[in-house]
């Protein structure tokens, strides 16, 4: 029988436990992470040691709420987007002033809060309020995002996408002054009502992230809120973050909806062949206990929490269901104790160009544009990899025995799920390019392409240009 640990001090715990029980999943609630003395294991078999004893759980669901705060400027305090009591006051029929909603100001606003802001803007506009919606990034990945955006526009919300913005508060007039620049035009807005959202983790949420080893790689967040993660998933499989923002409103219905994808994923944990399927043939690293120095370098570097100490062998070990075969541990191991015994790049097929394709975006884009490349496409040998950062300088250098051009196609900056693998790919490729120039082999080329599934035309243009340059 599947069972889950609900971890966090949240009013939805009882309802979450009830929904899980209805689906045949047992649940135990622990409100204080400090009670956990030790946490270890893998999906389907996490071990939790407390003073009361030892228990095993197939999954862990974190429910600890984050902390939200209004943005302050010159002594003036904005309306906090996450505070429903405050936002409801904006609907006062006596208030006819312009309402400014400002996102991405202090930091990038998470998608679920952006969705909340769009829905609020639409409601205000339908209530005959004058609403200006300012944001640095456009988000539509949440639920019915594009429909919500259209509804807000049709209701009369004015959307402004900016590059830079500043906020000043005039205490004398009790007015917020917002200056925004979209790279070309300047816009100046004044209103007594400024709606923003500042987000930070509570102390307990940070302790939970540390204890469970689910710290995001690019910021201090239990969940990176990236496009490739459902909003309740973390970087460690079998550990989920049920953000309270997903359950606002009709608590019973929303908790049930939020738990559904979690329970589907929980049911698949331990399925035969799952690991091999998601890593597309890449081999999971193995640790040689005779070489391992037990330095914990791989433990600290792995973004998926897939390495842990093996006391019996006095060496680190790989937790296969968590491993994504990104090879970061292999690259960082100072003792060269970690290696993959098989898989890896495909053999040279005689093409003029070799391209490594990150499976998180570039590979899918390449598959779609390949037919349109015509004769040029036959010059390319392609290899799917889990992350561009796993391609080292030594491997690239070896490829030039068979190819004139070698390309690493990886994620765009700050969108990589493997500890900034895009930046490591650029660094390694740059090293190889410098070596080629120093060796007088300027006719051979090493390139990096930043792309995603949605950037097919950009990828085609870049590949065409590289192949033409190589002629």
């Amino acid at each position: 029988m599947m069972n889950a640990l609900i971890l966090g001090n949240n009013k939805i715990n009882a309802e979450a436990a009830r929904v899980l029980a209805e689906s045949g999943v047992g649940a135990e609630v622990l409100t204080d992470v400090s009670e956990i003395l030790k946490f270890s294991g893998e999906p389907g078999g996490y071990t939790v040691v407390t003073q009361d004893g030892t228990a095993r759980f197939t999954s862990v669901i974190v429910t600890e709420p984050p902390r939200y705060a209004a943005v302050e400027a010159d002594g003036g305090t904005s309306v906090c987007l996450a505070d429903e009591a405050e936002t409801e006051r904006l609907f006062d029929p006596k208030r006819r002033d312009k309402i400014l909603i400002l996102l991405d100001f202090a930091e990038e606003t998470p998608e679920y809060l952006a969705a909340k802001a769009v829905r609020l803007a639409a409601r205000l506009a339908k209530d005959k309020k004058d609403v200006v919606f300012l944001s640095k990034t456009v988000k539509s990945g949440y639920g019915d995002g594009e429909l919500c955006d259209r509804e807000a526009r049709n209701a009369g919300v004015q959307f402004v996408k900016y590059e830079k913005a500043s906020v000043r508060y005039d205490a004398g007039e009790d007015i917020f002054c917002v200056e925004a620049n979209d790279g070309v035009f300047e816009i100046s807005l004044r209103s007594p009502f400024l709606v923003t959202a500042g987000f930070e983790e509570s102390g307990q949420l940070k302790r939970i992230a540390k204890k469970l080893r689910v710290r995001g790689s690019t910021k201090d967040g239990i969940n990176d809120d990236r496009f490739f993660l459902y909003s309740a998933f973390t970087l460690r499989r079998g550990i989920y973050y049920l953000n309270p923002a997903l359950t606002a409103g009709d608590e019973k219905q929303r908790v049930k909806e939020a738990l559904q994808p979690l329970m589907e994923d929980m049911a698949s944990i331990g399925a035969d062949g799952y690991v091999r399927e998601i890593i597309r043939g890449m081999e999971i690293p193995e640790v040689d206990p005779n070489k391992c120095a037990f330095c914990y370098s791989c433990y600290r570097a792995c973004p998926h929490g897939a390495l842990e100490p093996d006391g019996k062998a006095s060496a680190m070990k790989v937790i296969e269901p968590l491993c994504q075969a990104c090879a970061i541990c292999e690259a960082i191991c100072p003792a060269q104790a970690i290696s993959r015994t098989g898989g890896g790049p495909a053999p040279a097929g005689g093409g003029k160009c070799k391209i490594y394709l990150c499976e998180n975006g570039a590979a899918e884009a390449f598959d779609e544009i390949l037919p349109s490349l015509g004769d040029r496409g036959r010059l390319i040998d392609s290899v799917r990899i889990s992350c561009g950062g796993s391609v080292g300088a030594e491997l690239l250098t070896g490829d030039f025995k068979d190819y004139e051009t070698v390309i690493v196609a990886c994620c765009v900056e700050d969108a990589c799920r493997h500890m900034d693998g895009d930046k490591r790919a650029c660094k390694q490729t740059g090293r190889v390019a410098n070596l080629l120039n120093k060796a007088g082999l300027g006719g051979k080329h090493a390139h990096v392409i930043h792309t995603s599934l949605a950037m097919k035309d950009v990828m085609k243009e870049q590949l065409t240009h590289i192949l033409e340059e190589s002629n």
Side-chain angles (χ1 to χ4, degrees):
M1 176 180 175
M2 292 191 296
N3 65 333
L5 172 66
I6 298 175
L7 179 58
N9 187 9
N10 196 304
K11 65 178 184 178
I12 69 171
N13 287 350
E15 182 63 24
R18 186 189 67 79
V19 172
L20 289 170
E22 287 181 350
S23 301
V25 179
E28 183 176 323
V29 176
L30 186 64
T31 59
D32 190 353
V33 70
S34 64
E35 295 183 30
I36 297 179
L37 303 178
K38 183 180 180 181
F39 180 85
S40 61
E42 59 187 60
Y46 285 117
T47 300
V48 177
V49 180
T50 66
Q51 290 182 343
D52 296 330
T54 301
R56 286 174 63 84
F57 299 94
T58 53
S59 301
V60 179
I61 301 174
V62 179
T63 61
E64 182 70 20
R67 226 176 8 223
Y68 299 101
V71 173
E72 294 188 0
D74 303 324
T77 302
S78 65
V79 176
C80 181
L81 176 62
D83 189 332
E84 293 189 8
E86 285 292 315
T87 56
E88 285 302 312
R89 292 176 185 172
L90 298 172
F91 291 89
D92 186 339
K94 297 179 181 179
R95 296 179 173 178
R96 309 307 302 173
D97 300 274
K98 186 189 298 290
I99 297 173
L100 308 180
I101 298 177
L102 177 62
L103 304 188
D104 307 318
F105 180 60
E107 60 186 8
E108 184 176 345
T109 305
E111 277 203 3
Y112 64 86
L113 280 182
K116 187 180 184 73
V118 172
R119 294 187 179 103
L120 173 64
R123 286 181 58 212
L124 287 167
K126 290 177 181 178
D127 197 48
K128 308 304 181 183
K129 307 292 185 185
D130 184 4
V131 183
V132 180
F133 191 108
L134 301 99
S135 63
K136 186 180 293 185
T137 59
V138 177
K139 301 178 177 68
S140 59
Y142 50 87
D144 53 351
E146 292 186 7
L147 293 177
C148 289
D149 289 344
R150 185 186 306 168
E151 181 183 5
R153 286 191 176 88
N154 291 342
V157 176
Q158 302 173 61
F159 283 87
V160 176
K161 185 177 182 296
Y162 69 88
E163 290 186 2
K164 295 180 180 180
S166 63
V167 176
R168 182 174 55 83
Y169 177 68
D170 187 330
E173 297 187 37
D174 189 22
I175 291 284
F176 285 97
C177 306
V178 177
E179 304 285 342
N181 184 302
D182 67 355
V184 179
F185 298 104
E186 297 275 354
I187 184 171
S188 180
L189 300 165
R190 293 165 59 84
S191 172
F193 306 116
L194 176 65
V195 183
T196 58
F199 164 83
E200 64 178 3
E201 291 186 341
S202 65
Q204 166 137 288
L205 195 51
K206 291 180 179 179
R207 289 190 291 273
I208 289 173
K210 183 177 181 180
K211 181 73 73 172
L212 305 188
R213 295 182 62 211
V214 290
R215 176 64 63 216
S217 62
T218 59
K219 67 178 180 180
D220 291 336
I222 192 170
N223 180 283
D224 277 349
D225 193 44
R226 296 284 186 84
F227 68 91
F228 53 81
L229 289 177
Y230 177 77
S231 52
F233 284 17
T234 69
L235 290 175
R236 191 168 189 183
R237 189 153 189 254
I239 299 177
Y240 312 99
Y241 181 45
L242 188 57
N243 193 314
L246 300 175
T247 61
D250 184 348
E251 184 175 291
K252 290 186 177 181
Q253 182 61 28
R254 299 297 289 275
V255 168
K256 186 174 183 179
E257 291 175 357
L259 282 173
Q260 189 59 42
L262 275 64
M263 291 189 289
E264 292 175 1
D265 192 67
M266 288 164 61
S268 72
I269 289 175
D272 292 340
Y274 179 83
V275 173
R276 292 290 183 245
E277 178 185 348
I278 65 168
I279 61 176
R280 300 179 187 272
M282 297 290 285
E283 284 294 316
I284 291 176
E286 295 181 359
V287 180
D288 184 342
N290 296 318
K291 292 183 179 180
C292 179
F294 230 180
C295 66
Y296 280 69
S297 295
C298 57
Y299 178 91
R300 289 188 290 268
C302 179
H304 309 289
L307 285 115
E308 68 176 25
D310 182 350
K312 294 181 180 179
S314 295
M316 303 305 291
K317 67 177 180 181
V318 178
I319 305 172
E320 289 198 7
L322 293 175
C323 181
Q324 299 290 306
C326 65
I328 290 173
C329 58
E330 181 180 2
I332 203 170
C333 179
Q336 297 184 329
I338 304 176
S339 62
R340 287 170 291 172
T341 57
K352 187 177 183 180
C353 171
K354 175 78 163 285
I355 183 168
Y356 291 96
L357 301 160
C358 175
E359 68 178 11
N360 291 311
E364 303 298 330
F366 180 77
D367 288 344
E368 289 201 31
I369 68 170
L370 184 58
S372 66
L373 291 175
D375 292 338
R376 290 193 180 97
R378 286 189 283 273
L379 298 175
I380 305 173
D381 286 336
S382 63
V383 177
R384 281 177 176 258
I385 54 176
S386 61
C387 176
S390 65
V391 180
E394 183 177 350
L395 179 61
L396 291 173
T397 304
D399 285 332
F400 285 108
K401 296 177 182 177
D402 304 293
Y403 300 94
E404 291 295 318
T405 301
V406 179
I407 304 169
V408 181
C410 56
C411 299
V412 295
E413 187 175 357
D414 293 331
C416 181
R417 65 183 297 181
H418 293 301
M419 289 191 71
D420 298 326
D422 58 307
K423 295 177 182 176
R424 288 183 288 108
C426 289
K427 184 176 181 180
Q428 297 290 3
T429 307
R431 285 180 57 195
V432 172
N434 288 334
L435 288 172
L436 292 172
N437 289 332
K438 288 180 179 179
L441 299 174
K444 293 181 179 289
H445 304 277
H447 297 274
V448 173
I449 291 178
H450 294 280
T451 188
S452 69
L453 179 57
M455 297 170 63
K456 296 183 285 290
D457 292 339
V458 174
M459 187 179 192
K460 180 180 177 181
E461 182 179 335
Q462 289 180 312
L463 275 177
T464 301
H465 175 72
I466 289 172
L467 291 173
E468 288 176 349
E469 183 183 66
S470 301
N471 288 334

